[in-house]
Amino acid sequence: MDSSSTRRQATRQKLFEAAVTLIAEQGFSSTTVDEIAERAGVAKGTVYYNFASKTVLFEELLRHGIELLTASLQTAADENAERGGSHVDALDAMVRAGLDFISRYPSLTQLYVAELWRTNRAWQSTLMMVRQQAIAVIEAELRAGVAAHELSEDIDIPLTASALFGMVLVAALDWQSYQPERSLEDVHAALSRLLQGRVGGTVASG
């Protein structure tokens, strides 16, 4: 990557971070391009050079964020496979990866959850597409677990994958908002016991 591409990527990242923080604080409609530019420390024209409009910026922001989350879930599954772990272990590693991601990007997660329930947004189709990419990673692990006879064939894979994805999102936001004194390890342990007992079919010890 040449220096100009590197600079542009750095600028886009600044704009992403500024936009997600402002929109989480005051909402999409109340956030102006001027405010985004000021928070990012760039000229207003720089915003329009990188993104055609505020709507395009927000759509790309949501896409970028969920793609990062998807990559972290896939990495967790791949690293578990390299260690020789089970498919249930892989799901548990994904839970941990999801919690870690949300603890690093809480504002982005708040925006994502809020936008899931709105149906009149220009970016709704994009949001559904990238959400499905993340859930597909979980579905693949569930299917592999069923094929390996680690999980019951009666599992509804699409619904279970969505439930696990939602469990991590909601639990993490609750943790960040109402129980911030708890450690990531503590929250992960609680969700891990739930996962092991409900999906794995066993009660985790300890």
Side-chain angles (χ1 to χ4, degrees):
M1 183 179 293
D2 60 32
S3 59
S4 62
S5 295
T6 301
R7 284 196 302 272
R8 187 177 187 203
Q9 190 60 38
T11 298
R12 288 170 70 90
Q13 186 62 34
K14 285 181 185 178
L15 291 170
F16 278 137
E17 291 171 1
V20 73
T21 303
L22 285 166
I23 294 169
E25 289 173 356
Q26 56 196 36
F28 176 78
S29 298
S30 299
T31 300
T32 67
V33 171
D34 284 334
E35 288 173 320
I36 293 171
E38 182 180 358
R39 181 69 67 95
V42 302
K44 181 178 179 179
T46 301
V47 179
Y48 289 115
Y49 176 75
N50 284 274
F51 303 99
S53 65
K54 186 178 70 170
T55 296
V56 171
L57 167 58
F58 190 55
E59 181 174 351
E60 286 300 311
L61 181 146
L62 288 170
R63 182 199 298 272
H64 177 67
I66 302 306
E67 285 177 350
L68 285 177
L69 173 57
T70 301
S72 70
L73 297 178
Q74 187 63 62
T75 297
D78 293 344
E79 290 178 349
N80 176 75
E82 290 173 3
R83 293 191 299 268
S86 69
H87 295 292
V88 174
D89 289 336
L91 293 168
D92 186 58
M94 288 182 187
V95 169
R96 170 62 187 246
L99 290 172
D100 182 63
F101 179 89
I102 294 166
S103 71
R104 286 185 286 128
Y105 303 103
S107 295
L108 176 64
T109 308
Q110 290 168 13
L111 283 180
Y112 170 74
V113 171
E115 291 302 319
L116 274 179
W117 305 109
R118 296 191 173 103
T119 58
N120 61 342
R121 300 293 207 187
W123 50 78
Q124 192 66 26
S125 61
T126 295
L127 190 59
M128 291 300 100
M129 181 181 69
V130 293
R131 170 188 173 275
Q132 188 52 44
Q133 289 172 358
I135 290 176
V137 176
I138 304 172
E139 288 182 351
E141 206 61 48
L142 288 169
R143 287 193 181 90
V146 171
H149 305 293
E150 290 180 27
L151 304 175
S152 169
E153 293 182 359
D154 295 332
I155 287 179
D156 184 321
I157 289 175
L159 188 58
T160 301
S162 294
L164 289 173
F165 186 69
M167 176 185 76
V168 173
L169 285 177
V170 174
L173 287 178
D174 185 88
W175 162 42
Q176 295 283 310
S177 300
Y178 303 114
Q179 305 179 64
E181 72 282 357
R182 299 184 69 168
S183 67
L184 190 153
E185 288 72 22
D186 185 31
V187 176
H188 173 232
L191 295 188
S192 181
R193 283 190 287 271
L194 180 61
L195 171 71
Q196 295 285 346
R198 298 304 182 189
V199 176
T202 60
V203 177
S205 61

